[in-house]
Each structure stands twice: as structure tokens, then as C-alpha cells.
Amino acid sequence: MATAAATRRSVFLGVDVGTGSARAGLFDEEGKLLGSASSPIQIWKEGDCVEQSSTDIWHAICAAVKAACSLANITGEDVRGIGFAATCSLVAVDADGSPVTISWSGDSRRNIIVWMDHRAIKQAEKINSSNFPVLQYCGGAVSPEMQPPKLLWVKENLQESWSLVFRWMDLSDWLSYRATGDDTRSLCTTVCKWTYLGHAHMQLSEKDSGDMEACGWDDDFWEEIGLADLVDGHHAKIGRSVAFPGHPLGTGLTPVAAKELGLIAGTPVGTSLIDAHAGGVGVIESVPESQTEDKENDKEAICHRMVLVCGTSTCHMAVAQSKLFIPGVWGPFWSAMVPEYWLTEGGQSATGALLDHVIASPLLANRAASQSVSVFELLNKLLESLKHDLNTPFLAALTENVHVLPDFHGNRSPLADPLAKGVICGLTLDSSEKQLALLYLATVQSLAYGTRHIVEHCNAHGHRIDTLLACGGLAKNPLFLQEHADIIGCPIILPRESESVLLGAAILGAVAAKKYSSLGEAMKAMNAAGLVIHPSNDLRIKKYHDAKYRIFRELYEQHLAQRSVMADALA
């Protein structure tokens, strides 16, 4: 007779906190999704300030986990390991773990500065005006979306909150801390968003490292930017110890957290990842089997891929075995996604958010809802009929006279210009849905030109990217994918499971539970390829996009020149 332990299922739970919701997904040991659920989270937006509540987020996570378990008919005993992923938002808590406000409003619930918050542009400029060595590991400049400028903003503007905060944490680290009581930080969050130098631990391998004392902080940097108090107590407020993603934390789930989540105390919890990086872990080994047969070049093969995690914004992740310094692109970050590889991270600050902004039409939204399709599906159909009606040689050619610069929320990569603005060229008095469809297509193309710019820039600085893998909400849009394949000239592989960020988080749980001996082994076992989108071999399409790409690059140069003219006029 089989024992109860032997018949227990091996299920791994991934939790992902995005900008608008907390999601939970349950996966088997091969990475197949068994069930998922989501719960909305509150967000406050006032000008450049975007804020959330850690209490609200934890309640949403508990609701999502219980709903996912119920849907998949899985008990707490079945869940063998847990991983958390979240946006790189900044959380402030006091000595009791209670929220401390970071808001002008003084509302104590609002203790999170959301990743997309741009209140700290001046602080970022101040930090970037000095040539700190740590800056060469984030493309030469910190972004206002990183944590040092945000921390400096709080110190300069909310002195009372500053003195009350006992721990400043990246959101995904706070989630694992809330779950386990272990304050160890992830090499992913600290290296990518806090200027921590992960390569201080290069002599260690993932397999033989425990919690590592945080020896990668550059104390001179914190002191010179005016945040010397964060160095106190061996960096107690920002992280005394760090670990590789997936490293088991504490003694697993605390009894309190287990009860709130409907799970079992002691369930292993892995050191977390930023959501985009979890998407990378959930997808980067999702290649067709024909590409995985050469074991000799296995270590190098992964270096030819770039993962696009396309949601509200898009992150462009590529890894290399050696460190590559690329102006305007974040990194090189050691072990920040795949342990023992250097991560290069490009990005576009507004992609899904930009498309939503461009196609905001209540009429269209209502019609899509009445037909039970998305607005994108409706517009894609409209473009097909326009191509037919106008007898256009190929769909992309519909935007011959409409050109877009998509920097509506600044340019993250490769220009690192948070002050960049969006441009739409070719407007008329036509306000029809057909015109909206053309603007939508031109915007999709502009995002693909932005990605082409990033890929070309990375390859010019030592990368050898020839394959893209895409996940996230926009990867469900066939037009978005085909335009990217045609414009960049690379095949785009989709993973078998569309919930790549949740899978990446669940992989952390599988590693923490010792189901797999390393993150690399777990990725190979739990990633799988789905559909492959190939670029068109029609030379007319290539010629067309090369011409539009030239205009795309010129639009930014013109925008820069115009900024300079107006600055002179106002000087």
C-alpha cells in the first residue's frame, strides 16, 4: 500500500504581483499550469506619484492563492514549494513590520512607491551628475524607477517617514519576508535596482552558497549621495544578507502566513525575483527540442536569446558569460536572473500602457465587449479588411504616412532619456475607427522599432542575439508578434505556458523544495516551447520597415533638437 507521502502530488506555487493585480498559479514538476487566479490591488496615482499598500497586496495574494487552489482542486499539503515575483516597487515598514507612509497625503496605508513612479527625476539627475563606479553597472545612469533616487526623495521630502522606516525593501523581497520572517534579499532585486554589486560573490557557485553576507554594497556611493544612514548596522535597513534566486528562506512559511494563505507551515519558500526576471526564468529555456540537442554548446546557446516580457512596460533580458558594458542599457548584473551569468536588461517604460492610451475609445471597447473579443482582436480584424479594401501589398504598408515615436513615458533603453516625449506624425481630421486602427498599427510598429534599436545596440556591444522569446499580455496579440518578427528579422518563440511570470515564480519554489538541484536544471525541466513566429521572407516588407525604422530614429533626433531650441529660447 502506498504511503500518504508517496501519493502526495508535487505542486509548486508561483505568486506574481503586477501593477494592477496579484496572481497565483499552480504548476506540476514539468511546468504545466494546473490552475490560476487573480485578485485586484489598489493603486493611487497623483501626477508623477504612483502608490500602493503592502497590506492590501498581501490580502489580494491570500485571496488569489486560495482561489487558485480551489479551482485546481489542490490542498495545502500538495504545495511543495513557493516563489514570489513582483514589480520592482519600494516598500517602507517600521520595526514592527507595519506600513510607513511614503505619500504626500500622509495616508499610512500608502507605503509603496510603485515602480513606474517618476517623482525622483531630480534625485536621479543629481546622482547621475557624479561619476560613481556603481553607475557603470546600470548603463551609466540610474533611472528614476530605481531605488536610490526614490530613497533620496523620501529623505528630502518626508523626514518623519524617513526616521520611522526600519526596513526598505523591494516588493518581491518584502513578500518573501512577510511569508517567512527571513530578511535575506535577492541578488535579483538588490543588483538590478539598488546598485548592489553581485559579482562580489563571484567565487561562490549557486549550489554551495547559503545566505551570503552582503559585501557588495558600495558605502562611498550611499554616503556621497546623502544616504549615509543606510550604511549603518551593516546595511540593516537595505539588506545585511543576500541569496541566489530560489535559495530556501528561513524555515519556510511561518504559521501565521500559512494560515492566511491556506497552506502548510514550513513549506519551502525560494528567494524571489522581480516580475520581468521571473518571466525570463519561466521562458528562456523554452526552445524547440531541435535547438537543445548540442550539450557541448549548452552554456553558450542561452546567450543567443533575448526574452521580451511584454506587459504594461516591456523588459528585454539577455544573458552572457562575460560582462558586457552597454551605454544606456541596464547591467551587466551578475546572477540577477540566471545564476552565474551576467544579465543585460533593456526596456521600454510604456508598451501595453501606451497601446491602451492610444486606442482609448469607449465605443470600441463596448463593441468588443458585446462580441466577447478584445479591442486588439477587433482592430486586427479591421486592419485586415482595410488591407483588402485599399488593395495594399501587405498589412504593414497601411502606415506609410503615419509614424510614431513611442517615448510617451521617456526612453529607458538604449537612450536612457527619462525626459523624452512621444511623437505622432501624419495626423489628419479623420476621427474614424479606421484611422484609430492605423494609429494602433503604427504604434505597434514603433514599439517593434524600439526593440530593434535595443537588439542592434546590444549586438553592437558584444551580444549575439538571434532569437527572441516573448511572454506577457502583449505576446497574446498575433499582430504585435508578427510585426516584431518582421521588423527585427528574428524568429519569436512563444512558451507552451502563457503564464511565464507565474511559472518563473513557481520554479523558485521547486528549487527551494530541492526538487531540482539548481535554477538552470529547474528551467530546463519546467520550460517548454510553443508556437514559433517566423519573420516574413518578402523583401518588400524588409525594405518598407528599413525605411520606417530610419524615420523612427530621425524622430528622436528631431525631438532632441527641438528641446534644445526651446531651452535656448527660455534661457
Side-chain angles (χ1 to χ4, degrees):
M1 188 178 128
T3 64
T7 56
R8 261 180 66 190
R9 301 161 73 181
S10 275
V11 175
F12 302 101
L13 168 64
V15 171
D16 166 37
V17 177
T19 309
S21 65
R23 303 180 311 135
L26 296 148
F27 296 84
D28 68 14
E29 61 202 50
E30 292 178 346
K32 288 188 180 133
L33 181 65
L34 305 171
S36 66
S38 79
S39 186
I41 53 181
Q42 211 169 350
I43 191 161
W44 291 270
K45 292 183 182 177
E46 285 158 25
D48 278 338
C49 297
V50 190
E51 296 157 357
Q52 287 176 329
S53 152
S54 63
T55 309
D56 172 59
I57 285 173
W58 186 255
H59 288 321
I61 287 170
C62 295
V65 168
K66 287 172 181 167
C69 288
S70 169
L71 277 168
N73 197 21
I74 279 164
T75 64
E77 283 86 359
D78 294 327
V79 177
R80 300 288 188 93
I82 304 165
F84 291 97
T87 62
C88 46
S89 301
L90 179 66
V91 185
V93 290
D94 67 15
D96 301 326
S98 301
V100 176
T101 185
I102 46 68
S103 175
W104 281 124
S105 68
D107 181 342
S108 62
R109 292 172 302 172
R110 290 151 75 164
N111 70 319
I112 297 178
I113 300 182
V114 178
W115 67 271
M116 60 166 51
D117 180 300
H118 274 199
R119 72 181 70 184
I121 284 181
K122 281 196 169 63
Q123 287 73 16
E125 286 171 352
K126 179 180 167 185
I127 293 168
N128 291 332
S129 66
S130 298
N131 198 14
F132 297 111
V134 292
L135 297 185
Q136 54 182 330
Y137 289 92
C138 46
V142 293
S143 154
E145 293 172 15
M146 290 176 179
Q147 311 308 9
K150 289 175 175 168
L151 291 162
L152 188 55
W153 184 93
V154 176
K155 185 173 184 180
E156 289 176 358
N157 292 281
L158 299 172
Q159 199 60 52
E160 192 182 342
S161 291
W162 183 258
S163 59
L164 284 173
V165 176
F166 188 73
R167 281 188 179 90
W168 290 103
M169 305 187 84
D170 230 79
L171 178 54
S172 60
D173 284 329
W174 180 80
L175 297 175
S176 52
Y177 166 67
R178 179 68 176 76
T180 64
D182 185 339
D183 185 20
T184 300
R185 313 298 174 99
S186 169
L187 273 177
C188 176
T189 54
T190 50
V191 171
C192 294
K193 303 299 168 186
W194 298 71
T195 72
Y196 187 81
L197 300 175
H199 48 283
H201 306 282
M202 266 185 86
Q203 74 285 5
L204 293 170
S205 80
E206 176 192 8
K207 291 179 186 178
D208 59 23
S209 76
D211 296 351
M212 304 175 287
E213 185 187 338
C215 59
W217 294 116
D218 180 342
D219 294 351
D220 292 344
F221 167 74
W222 293 103
E223 284 162 12
E224 287 185 44
I225 67 170
L227 297 176
D229 30 354
L230 296 181
V231 173
D232 297 347
H234 301 287
H235 317 96
K237 289 186 177 181
I238 56 173
R240 283 182 177 191
S241 62
V242 295
F244 285 98
H247 169 74
L249 291 167
T251 53
L253 276 186
T254 63
V256 171
K259 190 176 177 192
E260 292 167 330
L261 292 161
L263 301 172
I264 305 299
T267 303
V269 175
T271 303
S272 13
L273 285 165
I274 296 166
D275 54 356
H277 302 64
V281 165
V283 77
I284 200 163
E285 289 288 4
S286 302
V287 289
E289 281 177 22
S290 58
Q291 290 185 28
T292 60
E293 284 158 10
D294 184 0
K295 293 290 174 219
E296 279 304 298
N297 292 321
D298 212 19
K299 281 195 124 171
E300 184 54 34
I302 198 173
C303 302
H304 287 263
R305 304 170 198 154
M306 176 177 267
V307 177
L308 308 187
V309 186
C310 336
T312 306
S313 62
T314 294
C315 288
H316 301 66
M317 328 285 259
V319 295
Q321 289 183 277
S322 55
K323 60 178 169 182
L324 302 171
F325 293 100
I326 306 177
V329 177
W330 296 346
F333 299 136
W334 189 74
S335 288
M337 185 172 83
V338 182
E340 299 173 55
Y341 282 85
W342 293 88
L343 171 69
T344 291
E345 186 188 342
Q348 293 166 302
S349 289
T351 51
L354 176 59
L355 288 172
D356 289 344
H357 174 73
V358 164
I359 64 171
S361 157
L363 272 175
L364 211 58
N366 289 340
R367 177 132 42 89
S370 71
Q371 294 177 24
S372 301
V373 295
S374 71
V375 174
F376 295 135
E377 286 172 281
L378 210 59
L379 288 167
N380 293 352
K381 248 188 228 167
L382 189 53
L383 287 168
E384 282 295 346
S385 65
L386 267 175
K387 172 184 172 283
H388 181 262
D389 296 347
L390 298 171
N391 204 17
T392 312
F394 45 88
L395 188 93
L398 287 167
T399 59
E400 174 190 0
N401 296 311
V402 187
H403 308 285
V404 175
L405 183 68
D407 299 338
F408 284 50
H409 196 54
N411 182 291
R412 190 187 296 168
S413 311
L415 304 168
D417 182 359
L419 300 176
K421 300 286 184 282
V423 176
I424 299 173
C425 174
L427 294 173
T428 69
L429 291 174
D430 185 350
S431 59
S432 68
E433 281 180 3
K434 287 178 182 174
Q435 191 58 33
L436 186 64
L438 295 183
L439 181 56
Y440 154 70
L441 175 57
T443 307
V444 167
Q445 289 169 341
S446 74
L447 295 173
Y449 299 133
T451 292
R452 173 170 165 176
H453 194 187
I454 291 167
V455 172
E456 287 182 355
H457 188 68
C458 288
N459 284 347
H461 286 84
H463 275 285
R464 291 189 300 288
I465 297 154
D466 58 23
T467 303
L468 301 179
L469 297 105
C471 63
L474 293 178
K476 296 179 172 113
N477 182 342
L479 178 87
F480 181 88
L481 295 168
Q482 191 61 58
E483 292 300 301
H484 274 70
D486 292 347
I487 285 165
I488 300 151
C490 290
I492 300 180
I493 303 171
L494 298 182
R496 176 191 64 199
E497 297 298 337
S498 62
E499 296 294 357
S500 303
V501 177
L502 287 175
L503 174 57
I507 287 172
L508 300 173
V511 176
K514 305 280 192 275
K515 173 70 189 171
Y516 299 103
S517 66
S518 68
L519 196 70
E521 187 191 325
M523 291 191 311
K524 285 196 169 71
M526 296 174 77
N527 284 193
L531 188 68
V532 181
I533 291 95
H534 293 280
S536 164
N537 50 18
D538 184 336
L539 291 176
R540 295 173 307 166
I541 292 180
K542 184 185 181 314
K543 185 180 175 189
Y544 176 81
H545 284 307
D546 286 348
K548 280 203 68 143
Y549 180 60
R550 202 167 78 234
I551 293 169
F552 166 84
R553 295 288 297 270
E554 286 167 1
L555 284 175
Y556 177 74
E557 296 305 324
Q558 290 162 8
H559 162 68
L560 215 51
Q562 289 158 3
R563 259 161 59 185
S564 168
V565 167
M566 295 316 296
D568 288 349
L570 291 168

